[in-house]
Amino acid sequence: MSYVLEIINVTKKFGEHKAVDAVSFNVEDGGFFSILGGSGCGKTTLLRMISGFEEVTEGELLVRGVSMNGIPPEKRPVNIVFQNLALFPMMNVERNVAFGLQRRKLPRNEVRTRVAEMLERVGLLGFEKKKVTELSGGQRQRVAIARSLVLRPSILLLDEPLGALDRKLREHMKVELKVLQKEIGTTFIYITHDQSEALVMSDRVAVMNEGRFEQIDTPKNLYKNPKTSFVAGFVGESNEFDVVSYNNGVLTTEHGLKIKKSRIDFVPKKLFIRPEAFVLDSPEDLPDVDLVSTKVKTILFDGSNTKISVLIKESNDEVLISFPQNAKFENLQEGDDLQVGIHQDDLKCYRE
Ligand code: ATP
């Protein structure tokens, strides 16, 4: 297995505060790897250590097997695209993209060929002479990416580059970035606090919390099998309950809701139920399904799914449940009684 990046026990301290706390992980060559976490969890600091703008306090960081300790940013085979893109507004597209190559004093012909190749790859042929101020947000993104990729880095680091775009363009750019990465094959390491960006684009995602990695996994596994309660709560929508006891295969939550769940060998503190863990189709006939009586509070129609917020009668907990479109909901109204089943297999329990 060839790793383009190996991070071994890396810590970054600011005074006594550990912004990154003994993190270890490897990134395979050619993948799209995201670091996902809330504000202040340490993801920018980690990215800055990879790029060389920040020194590592402890541990080691290797790119293609070579230690980066002590190597300045401009000598590292990595490049970074910042959220504000940092393009030169007065220069045209071509000169923005050529900038790094000219600084490296490459022959003029080679610069011209490489810039043209790169502009073709990012779909900007014909835009060479435009000023970046004349481009749309998405086109500017592509110029920033082209300007970094033209230097042929081993790794392209992206620091929330979609953060400044409006929602519609962001949705579009997510797909575009993923496709671009696959076509070009350069390893992308992308940091974001937006779980949907991370899930849509990445081959693997590291979920970061308070300077540490909680789980590194494929987007599907993060969603289906979150290893910690933090990941269960952070990735995807979930109904979260505090558990007060677990006896004879029955979980009792804080407000007195009782739900069957067999095969747990510890007393959980937290219970998570995804909106789609609920079933409506004759739950009486299904094994491993627990029935609860609820009252419909709000019905939210969003095209392909209906989300229903219901109050569980037993405990007065409000939960969100989600179903693919189904004729059964046509006549459902707020205030209706609704029996729902919960799949035992879809209950996730955690010690803390
Ligand atoms: P955000 O999404 O808000 O940018 P982040 O996950 O990128 O957050 P970092 O910027 O890496 O978080 O910061 C992690 C922690 O380290 C924070 O508590 C922050 O205050 C602290 N920190 C970051 N840079 C410095 C610095 N130069 N000096 C002191 N503390 C710092």
Side-chain angles (χ1 to χ4, degrees), residues 14-15 17-20 37-46 54 160 191 193 208:
F14 293 110
H17 175 65
K18 285 184 180 168
V20 174
S39 179
C41 73
K43 49 195 190 306
T44 306
T45 304
L46 188 53
E54 207 72 76
E160 308 221 27
I191 67 167
H193 63 271
M208 198 170 185

Side-chain angles (χ1 to χ4, degrees), residues 4-5 7 25-28 30-38 41-48 50-51 78-85 137 141-142 144-145 149 154-167 169-182 186-208 213 215-217 219 222 234:
V4 68
L5 177 68
I7 302 258
F25 68 102
N26 297 326
V27 179
E28 282 166 26
F32 199 128
F33 186 92
S34 288
I35 300 169
L36 169 68
C41 73
K43 49 195 190 306
T44 306
T45 304
L46 188 53
L47 206 75
R48 287 173 61 80
I50 301 171
S51 59
V78 303
N79 248 292
I80 190 161
V81 176
F82 294 101
Q83 187 180 93
N84 65 9
L85 306 182
Q141 290 280 331
R142 283 188 259 155
I145 289 169
L149 285 180
S154 294
I155 304 170
L156 185 68
L157 304 168
L158 300 110
D159 185 0
E160 308 221 27
L162 307 187
L165 306 179
D166 67 53
R167 200 185 61 80
L169 185 55
R170 215 161 50 218
E171 290 303 313
H172 173 74
M173 287 302 295
K174 272 189 224 172
V175 182
E176 191 163 293
L177 269 183
K178 186 184 167 84
V179 172
L180 185 68
Q181 190 277 327
K182 289 281 166 275
T186 305
T187 307
F188 278 22
I189 299 183
Y190 188 95
I191 67 167
T192 179
H193 63 271
D194 180 333
Q195 45 127 349
S196 131
E197 277 180 17
L199 295 188
V200 167
M201 292 191 287
S202 319
D203 301 310
R204 290 170 80 71
V205 180
V207 179
M208 198 170 185
F213 280 180
Q215 185 170 351
I216 306 178
D217 225 321
L222 279 182
F234 196 78

